[in-house]
Amino acid sequence: DTAVSQTPKYLVTQMGNDKSIKCEQNLGHDTMYWYKQDSKKFLKIMFSYNNKELIINETVPNRFSPKSPDKAHLNLHINSLELGDSAVYFCASSLLNQGAYLVNEQFFGPGTRLTVL
Amino acid sequence: GQNIDQPTEMTATEGAIVQINCTYQTSGFNGLFWYQQHAGEAPTFLSYNVLDGLEEKGRFSSFLSRSKGYSYLLLKELQMKDSASYLCAVIDSNYQLIWGAGTKLIIKP
């Protein structure tokens, strides 16, 4: 059984389109994350949700909007896609410790390779 | 600013030992992770250090010196499947996870 799953695995689209990436975890974790990994391989955190509440919102364009319908799902919607959005997007999840929420290891999904043409 | 430094790339021979270093300057410290990432795949957890010293886990060991802002990942008896990127990540005082760019390890026969 896949612990953290993402769909789609590959996404190719035109500039200006709107697209969504879905993420689900079946680990019973409290916290979910979205990361962007660009061609230089830097992993940059974008958002973090704990029990459906936003707890990290790094400086990303407001064209990116996360949605968490329940604590097992964290979807990422991107409006008006730009060439610079091309990257691999990883979803991750972890347990939460009070006051130490990132001390637990994160489990990553397989990634979504987004290519904007 | 916050900074994590790792070598960009290293090459080693199958069966040998390699040490991948990570130095960090962060606002506070609440632990350091090492992750392995094979090309085209997701990062997977290798180790977590929060106290000084060496943590051994099979062929992989991770060392931490908080006073020096330094860690290393030691891989022994290298196998071809160890070819991957190794990511160092530090938790700062705000419990933000700061990632290094990773070290690409190439194993040659």
Side-chain angles (χ1 to χ4, degrees):
Chain A
D1 283 343
T2 305
V4 183
S5 59
Q6 293 178 231
T7 53
K9 189 166 174 63
Y10 298 96
L11 182 54
V12 181
T13 188
Q14 300 291 322
M15 257 193 326
N17 284 350
D18 303 338
K19 291 293 177 187
S20 292
I21 307 172
K22 295 186 177 181
C23 178
E24 176 180 2
Q25 54 95 3
N26 63 6
L27 298 167
H29 287 168
D30 308 291
T31 309
M32 296 183 73
Y33 313 83
W34 274 109
Y35 285 90
K36 178 181 180 182
Q37 189 172 41
D38 60 24
S39 56
K40 295 182 180 178
K41 305 301 180 188
F42 273 104
L43 260 178
K44 182 179 175 184
I45 191 161
M46 301 173 70
F47 302 102
S48 175
Y49 268 71
N50 176 45
N51 280 324
K52 302 195 296 174
E53 287 189 28
L54 181 66
I55 52 174
I56 292 177
N57 183 3
E58 293 296 315
T59 307
V60 299
N62 57 16
R63 299 181 294 104
F64 291 78
S65 54
K67 294 274 192 308
S68 183
D70 54 62
K71 78 171 194 177
H73 295 85
L74 182 63
N75 303 324
L76 183 65
H77 188 76
I78 316 169
N79 289 329
S80 304
L81 278 156
E82 300 177 356
L83 293 177
D85 298 332
S86 294
V88 180
Y89 292 83
F90 286 103
C91 176
S93 73
S94 71
L95 287 169
L96 175 76
N97 282 335
Q98 283 290 344
Y101 69 88
L102 280 179
V103 176
N104 290 289
E105 67 188 269
Q106 296 183 15
F107 292 80
F108 284 79
T112 296
R113 182 174 294 277
L114 171 65
T115 304
V116 182
L117 302 175
Chain B
Q2 312 216 79
N3 198 43
I4 309 265
D5 287 314
Q6 305 178 235
T8 304
E9 188 173 296
M10 298 181 70
T11 303
T13 305
E14 192 177 13
I17 298 173
V18 71
Q19 178 175 309
I20 302 174
N21 295 327
C22 170
T23 58
Y24 60 89
Q25 301 90 40
T26 56
S27 55
F29 178 84
N30 280 298
L32 184 146
F33 286 101
W34 282 97
Y35 278 78
Q36 181 190 59
Q37 185 176 23
H38 284 101
E41 296 183 12
T44 54
F45 169 80
L46 286 178
S47 66
Y48 171 68
N49 293 67
V50 67
L51 298 176
D52 290 349
L54 188 69
E55 298 263 349
E56 297 188 67
K57 195 186 287 186
R59 293 188 300 113
F60 292 9
S61 303
S62 56
F63 172 83
L64 175 67
S65 168
R66 288 171 296 171
S67 62
K68 294 181 180 177
Y70 168 69
S71 172
Y72 67 73
L73 182 68
L74 190 71
L75 292 77
K76 302 177 186 175
E77 301 169 16
L78 284 168
Q79 301 174 9
M80 297 303 292
K81 67 178 182 179
D82 297 331
S83 292
S85 287
Y86 292 86
L87 305 168
C88 173
V90 172
I91 307 163
D92 70 8
S93 57
N94 294 320
Y95 295 99
Q96 301 285 318
L97 195 58
I98 314 297
W99 291 86
T103 298
K104 183 177 179 181
L105 178 63
I106 300 167
I107 310 295
K108 295 186 174 177

